Amino acid sequence: MGDLNDMFRKRLKMLSIVVILVIGTLVARAGYLQILEGDHYKELADGNRIRIVPSMAPRGTFYDRNGELLVTNRPGFTVSLVPLTAPISEDVIARVSELVNVPVEEIHDKIAAHSGFNPIRIKTDVTPDIVSIIEEQKDSYPGVTIEVQPIRDYIYNEAGAHMYGYVSEINDEELKKLKDEGYKSGDIIGKFGLEKVYDKELRGENGGEQVEVDVSGKPVKLIGRKPPVAGGDLILTVDSHIQAAAEKAVDEQLGMIGAQGAAAVVMNPQTGEILAMVSRPAFNPNLFSRGISTKDWNELNNNPYHPMDNKTISGEYPPGSTFKIVTGTAALTEGVVTPGEIIFDSGHHWIIPKGNADGEALGPIDFREALAHSDNVYFYEMGNRLGIDRLEKYARMFGLGERTGIDLPYEAKGLVANRRYKELNFEDGDWYLSETFDASIGQGFNLVTPLQAAMVMGEIAADGKRYQPHLVQRIIGPDGSVVKEFNPVLLSKVDAPDDVIQLVQAGLHDVTLYGTAAKVFKGFPIEIAGKTGTAENSQGRDHGWFVAYGPFDNPNVVVAVIVENGGYGSQSAVPIGRKILEAAFGLDQKPTGEADGKNKESN
Amino acid sequence: MTKNIWRRTDWPLILATAAIIIMSLVIIGSATHINTPSEERYWYVQRQGMFALVNVAIAFFLMNFDYKILQGYGNKLYIFNLILLLAVMIFGHSALGAQRWIMIGPISIQPSEFSKLIMIVSIAAILNDRVGKLNSLRDLLPVALYVGIPFILVLKQPDLGTSLVFMAIFFGMVFVSGINMKLLGGIFAAVIAAMPVLWHFLKDYQKMRIMVFMDPNVDPLGSGYHIIQSKIAIGSGMLYGKGLFAGTQSQLNFLPENHTDFIFAVVGEELGFVGVCFLLFLYLVVLLRGLQIARDAGDTFGRLLAVGITSMLAFHVLVNVGMTMGIMPVTGIPLPLMSYGVSSLTTNILSIAILLNIERRRQKLLF
């Protein structure tokens, strides 16, 4: 019995030790979790229950110069996933994928790319029936929410698209670049056009609600709220009437001649204000607001005529005969020719047998006649007398070969023919006279954007003054105050005597009176100065140019039009230019029977 | 006479038990009040409190009997236990993948809870004559078979947790019965060696639980979710806790089963490390008193009963609390006297009552 009692005591003592060890272990574990790792778990617990429900600031809207609304926002429903404590299940992803017609892989990519507690947007701007399905069958869609978001609405769809640009969700690259400026993953950001350039002014400040949620993601308590601050509105220099007319004129002409690409710029030469801007083919920016489908994106990207390019500023074309404005101004200013000097056009130049397009010979002509009829032989001779270096100097004086600095992204510089360029880019770096000849009539190495072509014409119209082209007059804050005002900026002045500019103006006036654009402008009630051009194009049919301004005595409108592969400018571009000028001077609103009748005739 | 009886009462055990029960009512109240409609807000607390009182009354009443009479019922209770477990298998109401409940009127009882206590009585009875004589496998085999049958039945329910409790009770009791240490070591070695074989007998969800125990992130939405959320709850309680009724994990439903199996996590979250230490201290008092009572017991049967009860309680505390803190697999073992549940509460109060009974009767021998 004593042995047994000893054994009992011994073994019970051992059990006591085991019990103390067990409790000790549990205390130690609790200490580890609560004291050592407590902060970590506290963070996790807060992450579990606190959600940010963002409310997106309405983006600033666009108005034209007369207060007409161009780009605005409308409420739209967005299907998003809210990352709960645990990943969204495959079943739910599959169900959502089917419902909103977004591939499962795409959803996975979005989830993988996402971090933090903000909702992951799967499909923007869904229809109300999808909203009601998700709301009614909430249990089948755990972690799926409907957000009401402002959706960018481009009222006129394609019209003005290249100016306004488009918006879509910020990508990784942009995020990396803009993180310091307060941009966040999931933000809607301007990707193109004014939306891109003025993104900071337009975006406003996103607000949100900090809510406490339960395990199903259902908000139970509002912790804090920050109201969104709307972005600033842009008052554009654009005149929507001229814009619409320009769009229509370009489309009609392209349809008629079966061409695809075109660009047109309308500007006030006295201020640099852009009145209209058209680029063809165009795209519908609303596609991006809704979250563009892969199919639509591929269609836009694979279009050989590049609908996503704003050809008015990024298209570079040989200026063709419109360049004779530069050559002529240079020749008169440098005194290599007098206005009255007669040069004999026998059909081709006497040093190098280059001539007019159809080999026609205009005989003895002076400066004004040469400009009006766009005589090549006369201007070859001007080039011959000036030499390439002086030609380059004047081209640069007009602002060619450099960006105008318009408030749009992706502007091209163009190219001014010069010796250095030849040296750097060609095996045979020597400069030949024939290249000077080409340069003097806007062929060869010369390249300009339609906006630059408009600028050159505008400088002549404004007596040599070169104003910076711009699209925005004012930015208006959400409280109605003017945040920023854009006044005309004089960039430079063409260094030519007044009488030279006046002579060039007169020559350009003659173009619509008896020159290359006279036929189309017959009976036009306002006096117009113009210049046609036909740019030789090694890739295909010639591009047709037309630049013009009016009224001749007090010009406030300058137009540049190019029709890609349109052939002669006088046939392809000039009719567009006329219609745009009609709209600019309000002639299309009055029943001017004569002009209308004429158009129908030519159709 | 009355005075004597009270002097022979184990006050530390009673106070610790009472403290745990009161704490349990507060925590159950906190864990359940927010997710219940307001008119039923305190349903769980009231129910648990009511049954606690009823059980205490029963325990009081049972004090008039000598626990030793149980010894004669060892085999009858054993047969009753087998019938009970079979009844569960046949009529059982299944929940959460296991058949564990039998409905008797409005009360659903969980026979496996009671069967633990019955097993302790039966084992104590059968071991009574074998104390000090467990030297070979042949000595142990009858006892092992005796325990093995109900063990298999519980395992079949399937209730891995309770079957493990059976094992813990069995080992605790044979250990104190003076089993040869080499034999015990051999059995442990054999059990460990048999693990891979046993693995195949586990249900998929049980395998998953064990895999998840190794790494909760294996199945963060499923079984791992409980562990992750529970650890977050406890850890985020830090030193002083978030305060009663203020645990975000528990109140916002992130914590599953927060008034039953995971109630310890609510203690951890709302009362912090301080509350956890206090509760574990109360358990330490109960367990050490249990072993002290075993030592002081007037007879071998009482000694074995006390050891069996203490082993059961200790194993419950270890596995349940360990589970909520991620150091034990999820097995569905409730925390004694804390977890909501009538069957478990009744079993545990009766167990404490038996301990008190043993303590109270020991003096007889001294007189």
Side-chain angles (χ1 to χ4, degrees):
Chain A
M1 197 66 192
D3 281 357
L4 218 51
N5 256 332
D6 276 355
M7 186 273 291
F8 275 139
R9 278 169 196 274
K10 226 173 91 188
R11 297 229 162 164
L12 283 169
K13 204 171 183 182
M14 285 163 79
L15 273 189
S16 301
I17 292 167
V18 170
V19 163
I20 291 169
L21 282 179
V22 163
I23 299 293
T25 305
L26 295 177
V27 169
R29 175 66 176 171
Y32 172 76
L33 290 179
Q34 301 187 292
I35 310 296
L36 288 181
E37 295 275 276
D39 288 327
H40 167 66
Y41 286 109
K42 174 122 179 49
E43 222 168 85
L44 288 179
D46 288 344
N48 257 353
R49 68 193 171 95
I50 292 170
R51 293 275 173 285
I52 308 294
V53 181
S55 59
M56 205 184 274
R59 221 174 149 77
T61 50
F62 294 3
Y63 295 93
D64 89 336
R65 63 185 306 118
N66 302 314
E68 198 187 322
L69 193 58
L70 300 171
V71 179
T72 181
N73 306 296
R74 63 184 165 78
F77 298 109
T78 298
V79 175
S80 305
L81 299 180
V82 180
L84 292 174
T85 37
I88 309 286
S89 80
E90 286 305 316
D91 289 355
V92 175
I93 290 175
R95 232 170 283 148
V96 170
S97 160
E98 200 179 326
L99 185 68
V100 301
N101 197 20
V102 173
V104 173
E105 305 83 67
E106 212 174 304
I107 298 181
H108 277 289
D109 290 349
K110 285 185 176 174
I111 293 174
H114 183 271
S115 63
F117 293 107
N118 286 335
I120 309 165
R121 283 181 210 113
I122 300 302
K123 177 96 174 180
T124 328
D125 201 23
V126 297
T127 53
D129 52 302
I130 289 180
V131 174
S132 56
I133 288 172
I134 292 176
E135 292 290 342
E136 280 161 20
Q137 305 172 16
K138 256 201 163 326
D139 292 342
S140 315
Y141 294 96
V144 183
T145 58
I146 300 289
E147 288 179 274
V148 180
Q149 265 190 348
I151 305 264
R152 201 57 160 167
D153 187 11
Y154 300 88
I155 294 172
Y156 297 102
N157 295 308
E158 277 96 350
H162 293 95
M163 278 185 287
Y164 313 147
Y166 64 88
V167 295
S168 71
E169 209 168 300
I170 193 165
N171 63 32
D172 291 347
E173 219 172 294
E174 291 160 337
L175 190 60
K176 217 183 283 169
K177 232 186 295 170
L178 295 168
K179 211 156 53 192
D180 297 339
E181 292 171 49
Y183 286 78
K184 286 193 194 68
S185 143
D187 277 1
I188 298 295
I189 179 177
K191 300 263 177 161
F192 189 61
L194 294 170
E195 297 273 27
K196 181 181 170 80
V197 172
Y198 292 99
D199 192 70
K200 280 191 198 75
E201 287 82 359
L202 288 167
R203 65 198 302 254
E205 220 175 301
N206 287 340
E209 287 179 351
Q210 209 179 18
V211 290
E212 194 170 318
V213 295
D214 68 6
V215 69
S216 63
K218 197 174 66 187
V220 291
K221 195 171 122 200
L222 184 69
I223 297 174
R225 172 185 282 143
K226 183 184 157 216
V229 181
D233 295 337
L234 301 189
I235 312 297
L236 305 188
T237 59
V238 172
D239 184 316
S240 59
H241 172 65
I242 303 176
Q243 179 70 29
E247 302 262 356
K248 188 163 162 258
V250 170
D251 283 339
E252 281 173 1
Q253 184 69 7
L254 287 178
M256 209 168 75
I257 66 176
Q260 300 290 331
V265 191
V266 188
M267 192 173 74
N268 181 340
Q270 312 289 355
T271 59
E273 292 173 319
I274 301 288
L275 299 171
M277 213 174 217
V278 178
S279 180
R280 283 293 180 274
F283 64 95
N284 186 347
N286 285 316
L287 290 179
F288 293 91
S289 315
R290 290 176 202 131
I292 191 163
S293 70
T294 317
K295 181 178 149 277
D296 287 339
W297 177 241
N298 287 340
E299 230 164 72
L300 285 174
N301 266 325
N302 297 333
N303 186 323
Y305 299 100
H306 305 294
M308 299 302 296
D309 286 353
N310 182 355
K311 295 189 170 65
T312 58
I313 56 164
S314 60
E316 295 173 292
Y317 308 91
S321 299
T322 64
F323 191 77
K324 286 170 185 164
I325 298 166
V326 177
T327 310
T329 307
L332 291 173
T333 307
E334 292 291 317
V336 297
V337 72
T338 60
E341 182 182 340
I342 302 291
I343 286 174
F344 189 81
D345 172 15
S346 67
H348 56 81
H349 196 269
W350 51 95
I351 301 174
I352 299 168
K354 283 173 178 274
N356 293 318
D358 292 330
E360 61 178 327
L362 297 177
I365 49 171
D366 68 0
F367 181 82
R368 276 178 68 168
E369 287 171 311
L371 200 55
H373 291 294
S374 197
D375 186 65
N376 283 354
V377 173
Y378 184 94
F379 284 96
Y380 286 145
E381 178 55 17
M382 295 304 109
N384 183 31
R385 293 180 188 180
L386 283 162
I388 188 59
D389 296 331
R390 278 196 283 187
L391 213 47
E392 179 195 352
K393 179 184 148 198
Y394 278 83
R396 295 202 188 281
M397 198 189 282
F398 274 93
L400 299 180
E402 65 173 298
R403 295 189 184 91
T404 65
I406 188 173
D407 41 356
L408 285 177
Y410 311 120
E411 189 186 7
K413 276 185 177 169
L415 182 64
V416 172
N418 67 80
R419 292 181 198 272
R420 270 184 323 284
Y421 177 79
K422 177 95 194 277
E423 275 166 27
L424 290 174
N425 292 285
F426 289 83
E427 214 172 300
D428 177 8
D430 290 343
W431 190 265
Y432 297 102
L433 183 60
S434 71
E435 285 161 345
T436 307
F437 274 35
D438 288 341
S440 62
I441 61 156
Q443 294 295 153
F445 299 122
N446 280 321
L447 291 174
V448 301
T449 67
L451 178 62
Q452 285 174 329
M455 290 289 286
V456 170
M457 193 61 171
E459 287 154 38
I460 295 299
D463 301 325
K465 289 196 277 291
R466 180 166 161 259
Y467 286 98
Q468 179 156 55
H470 61 277
L471 276 160
V472 179
Q473 286 185 341
R474 282 191 301 283
I475 300 176
I476 307 286
D479 54 350
S481 64
V482 176
V483 176
K484 204 167 175 188
E485 184 116 40
F486 296 86
N487 294 312
V489 175
L490 183 65
L491 292 172
S492 62
K493 203 163 176 305
V494 176
D495 191 11
D498 291 347
D499 58 327
V500 167
I501 295 206
Q502 280 156 17
L503 199 65
V504 174
Q505 286 170 343
L508 295 171
H509 189 195
D510 292 344
V511 170
T512 63
L513 295 178
Y514 63 85
T516 50
K519 218 173 110 192
V520 177
F521 274 91
K522 199 173 168 195
F524 198 81
I526 288 169
E527 302 210 34
I528 302 292
K531 183 76 200 79
T532 61
T534 304
E536 283 170 32
N537 169 22
S538 56
Q539 259 98 56
R541 209 168 161 224
D542 295 346
H543 302 313
W545 273 109
F546 182 57
V547 292
Y549 68 81
F552 179 70
D553 292 327
N554 186 20
N556 57 15
V557 176
V558 58
V559 179
V561 180
I562 186 167
V563 179
E564 284 184 2
N565 312 117
Y568 286 119
S570 55
Q571 284 157 23
S572 57
V574 177
I576 297 175
R578 180 187 159 121
K579 284 184 194 167
I580 292 174
L581 288 167
E582 276 172 9
F585 298 124
L587 302 173
D588 54 338
Q589 279 152 329
K590 285 176 233 150
T592 48
E594 207 200 337
D596 276 359
K598 212 169 180 62
N599 280 342
K600 278 192 188 105
E601 222 172 71
S602 62
N603 282 347
Chain B
M1 182 68 193
T2 320
K3 224 180 161 190
N4 275 343
I5 286 179
W6 286 121
R7 215 184 44 206
R8 278 182 258 132
T9 300
D10 195 327
W11 284 110
L13 178 57
I14 288 181
L15 288 177
T17 305
I20 294 172
I21 292 172
I22 290 164
M23 206 165 159
S24 130
L25 293 175
V26 174
I27 299 294
I28 289 171
S30 172
T32 56
H33 90 288
I34 204 160
N35 299 308
T36 349
S38 54
E39 65 271 23
E40 293 170 17
R41 182 148 289 173
Y42 298 103
W43 190 84
Y44 287 99
V45 182
Q46 285 165 359
R47 201 173 144 92
Q48 185 83 347
M50 191 185 79
F51 274 97
L53 286 177
V54 170
N55 281 316
V56 169
I58 293 172
F60 243 99
F61 174 70
L62 291 178
M63 281 295 160
N64 296 317
F65 298 91
D66 193 330
Y67 67 91
K68 289 190 198 69
I69 55 167
L70 287 172
Q71 194 172 350
Y73 289 97
N75 285 326
K76 286 178 187 128
L77 280 171
Y78 181 78
I79 302 293
F80 172 73
N81 203 4
L82 292 185
I83 293 168
L84 202 62
L85 293 174
L86 281 168
V88 175
M89 288 181 77
I90 298 162
F91 308 111
H93 180 74
S94 67
L96 304 170
Q99 291 182 326
R100 290 182 196 174
W101 281 271
I102 286 183
M103 301 294 296
I104 297 174
I107 305 172
S108 59
I109 65 160
Q110 217 176 335
S112 56
E113 290 299 327
F114 297 107
S115 77
K116 292 169 194 166
L117 190 52
I118 298 172
M119 277 303 287
I120 292 169
V121 177
S122 303
I123 297 171
I126 193 178
L127 277 179
N128 196 38
D129 302 329
R130 289 178 165 80
V131 169
K133 296 173 201 159
L134 295 170
N135 293 317
S136 68
L137 209 53
R138 246 176 63 193
D139 298 334
L140 191 66
L141 205 59
V143 188
L145 280 176
Y146 193 76
V147 179
I149 294 164
F151 173 82
I152 299 281
L153 284 179
V154 173
L155 197 58
K156 273 277 174 189
Q157 277 190 13
D159 188 347
L160 182 65
T162 303
S163 59
L164 290 175
V165 175
F166 281 12
M167 297 269 273
I169 293 168
F170 173 72
F171 278 113
M173 291 172 82
V174 295
F175 179 71
V176 174
S177 300
I179 188 173
N180 184 300
M181 286 303 255
K182 277 184 195 155
L183 181 59
L184 191 66
I187 292 169
F188 271 117
V191 168
I192 290 165
M195 285 286 192
V197 183
L198 281 174
W199 177 257
H200 290 285
F201 288 103
L202 292 178
K203 303 268 178 202
D204 280 345
Y205 86 94
Q206 290 173 326
K207 288 184 190 170
M208 196 65 197
R209 278 180 175 181
I210 292 176
M211 266 152 56
V212 161
F213 161 60
M214 305 294 181
D215 177 12
N217 296 319
V218 166
D219 185 16
L221 247 192
S223 24
Y225 179 82
H226 293 199
I227 300 174
I228 293 169
Q229 294 303 331
S230 169
K231 277 165 74 179
I232 291 174
I234 294 172
S236 63
M238 302 175 82
L239 186 56
Y240 298 111
K242 299 174 189 169
L244 278 174
F245 297 84
T248 55
Q249 288 288 102
S250 159
Q251 304 298 334
L252 299 171
N253 252 345
F254 288 102
L255 193 61
E257 306 288 323
N258 57 2
H259 60 297
T260 59
D261 289 355
F262 281 87
I263 193 160
F264 185 81
V266 183
V267 176
E269 182 179 26
E270 300 193 344
L271 303 180
F273 186 61
V274 172
V276 164
C277 286
F278 180 64
L279 180 60
L280 290 175
F281 170 74
L282 293 178
Y283 279 118
L284 185 66
V285 170
V286 171
L287 297 176
L288 290 181
R289 287 313 303 167
L291 293 177
Q292 185 65 37
I293 287 167
R295 216 186 67 167
D296 299 344
D299 63 340
T300 305
F301 177 68
R303 209 185 290 274
L304 291 173
L305 267 185
V307 169
I309 287 167
T310 310
S311 303
M312 172 184 79
L313 294 175
F315 189 73
H316 271 239
V317 172
L318 170 67
V319 175
N320 179 283
V321 175
M323 162 186 85
T324 61
M325 296 194 296
I327 52 172
M328 285 281 158
V330 178
T331 42
I333 290 180
L335 186 57
L337 301 168
M338 279 297 291
S339 290
Y340 173 81
V342 172
S343 306
S344 164
L345 179 70
T346 306
T347 308
N348 291 316
I349 291 181
L350 290 184
S351 303
I352 300 292
I354 291 173
L355 286 181
L356 290 170
N357 201 314
I358 297 166
E359 169 74 359
R360 192 175 174 197
R361 308 279 160 187
R362 76 178 164 108
Q363 259 88 355
K364 273 194 177 168
L365 216 98
L366 297 177
F367 278 114

